[in-house]
Amino acid sequence: MKKALFNIRMRAAQGGAHELGGEHISGGERITKQQSIQQSVNQLLKKAQSHPRGKADFIQITIEEIDSREIKRIPQQRIETISKLSINEGLAAVRAELLEEGVSKVSIEKAIDFIQSVPTHRGAIIMDAQSGNRLDDKAIRGVRVSRVDWENAGKESCSKTQRSREARAIAAKVAHSPITVAELCWSDDPDYIIGYVSSRKKGYRRISPLKSIGDMRGGRVFFVNGPINLVQYINYLESTPILVRE
Ligand code: WAQ
Ligand code: MG
């Protein structure tokens, strides 16, 4: 018998729904079995309701069955930790890692500028790794990576490690696409100053600090070498169900 799996996703905003101009507070993704739906919904609701970015007045939780035959299982990435003493040194490490991935200096600066700008986007932007031009047309919504989780999700412990786990699941899915050159991310949560550079070849490099406590700016950039099939790439990121092996 085929075991049904469900994708659960949450988005929360303040000042109304995102599409009505509300400010993004939080989002989350789970893939769970039928019997764990309630637990996952509770976890995501708790995340939305007790978020350091502020009080959400719009929360949407979507539950969708996914065909377990469509699910791909992929390996997790190698993790490296780069800890620096200052934000400037942290950002210098980001620049060095991205240069090694073949991302141009122009693109690197545009990506950092983008993540340091407001308003915060709900999803990621897709950027040409050479020109630094933004390639997607998703405006402030950005591209939301969905349908991704750890293979044995639901067993995680505290919320501190949970944040890194969620980020590593997203990064593994993004890096698994041959279209992705590299990803740059840091949190938009004011209490979390660690970010990462990730790629299929070199894995997941946690880098800190990339901002100061209290800073609400953060975001994600996926670098690609153009021209790409944008529709196919976004479809993979949003819709292909992926479980990351522990
Ligand atoms: N798909 C695309 N972009 C997303 C997604 C998603 N599913 N979720 C978040 N983003 C974008 C969005 O612009 C957010 O503003 C930004 O990324 C940051 O999201 O190992 O917590 O969920 O300790 O705040 C890095 C962990 C944590 C480093 C990153 O991101 C480590 C984090 P957040
Ligand atoms: Mg956040």
Side-chain angles (χ1 to χ4, degrees):
M1 200 183 75
K2 122 175 133 64
K3 274 187 263 129
L5 286 171
F6 294 81
N7 176 232
I8 307 173
R9 54 178 195 274
M10 176 277 289
R11 61 181 172 114
Q14 186 181 77
H18 299 87
E19 57 273 28
L20 299 177
E23 199 188 323
H24 180 64
I25 295 290
S26 162
E29 294 289 329
R30 293 284 188 285
I31 293 177
T32 52
K33 299 188 199 93
Q34 172 103 41
Q35 63 265 36
S36 307
I37 292 178
Q38 201 153 37
Q39 186 194 2
S40 298
V41 168
N42 282 340
Q43 283 175 358
L44 289 172
L45 192 57
K46 188 169 163 218
K47 184 179 180 189
Q49 287 183 314
S50 56
H51 203 277
R53 281 180 65 78
K55 188 182 169 305
D57 54 28
F58 169 87
I59 301 171
Q60 177 174 290
I61 293 180
T62 308
I63 306 171
E64 271 173 333
E65 182 169 350
I66 46 185
D67 187 341
S68 52
R69 286 167 304 189
E70 278 178 37
I71 293 195
K72 281 196 190 144
R73 288 176 168 75
I74 65 169
Q76 66 165 302
Q77 294 176 285
R78 186 156 52 93
I79 305 174
E80 196 185 317
T81 302
I82 303 172
S83 303
K84 299 290 186 186
L85 290 173
S86 70
I87 296 167
N88 277 343
E89 287 175 48
L91 290 172
V94 162
R95 291 184 173 97
E97 294 298 323
L98 287 172
L99 264 183
E100 262 193 63
E101 303 284 2
V103 180
S104 75
K105 284 188 175 164
V106 173
S107 295
I108 293 170
E109 296 315 316
K110 284 195 177 174
I112 292 174
D113 282 352
F114 166 74
I115 296 179
Q116 290 178 336
S117 67
V118 282
T120 297
H121 289 48
R122 171 155 48 114
I125 64 166
I126 299 173
M127 184 179 278
D128 186 291
Q130 304 315 317
S131 68
N133 291 337
R134 182 174 177 181
L135 300 181
D136 65 277
D137 58 356
K138 300 276 185 191
I140 193 171
R141 178 184 183 277
V143 178
R144 251 338 260 191
V145 178
S146 189
R147 299 191 167 196
V148 60
D149 206 340
W150 291 90
E151 195 162 21
N152 66 354
K155 296 197 182 118
E156 49 277 322
S157 44
C158 65
S159 59
K160 265 277 181 282
T161 53
Q162 177 62 22
R163 187 146 25 184
S164 179
R165 272 177 68 84
E166 284 180 13
R168 283 185 286 119
I170 291 173
K173 178 172 182 179
V174 174
H176 186 71
S177 165
I179 295 176
T180 307
V181 171
E183 175 184 356
L184 171 63
C185 163
W186 67 86
S187 182
D188 57 1
D189 302 3
D191 61 349
Y192 207 77
I193 59 175
I194 310 173
Y196 65 85
V197 170
S198 149
S199 72
R200 187 168 184 159
K201 235 185 335 185
K202 296 197 64 198
Y204 183 93
R205 283 143 283 166
R206 301 180 79 198
I207 304 174
S208 68
L210 295 181
K211 66 176 193 182
S212 45
I213 295 278
D215 190 339
M216 302 250 277
R217 297 168 303 168
R220 273 185 164 83
V221 178
F222 305 153
F223 297 97
V224 301
N225 277 329
I228 62 160
N229 184 332
L230 198 60
V231 172
Q232 191 195 335
Y233 186 49
I234 292 178
N235 188 55
Y236 165 78
L237 296 169
E238 291 182 339
S239 304
T240 302
I242 296 275
L243 285 175
V244 184
R245 279 191 231 105
E246 220 42 73

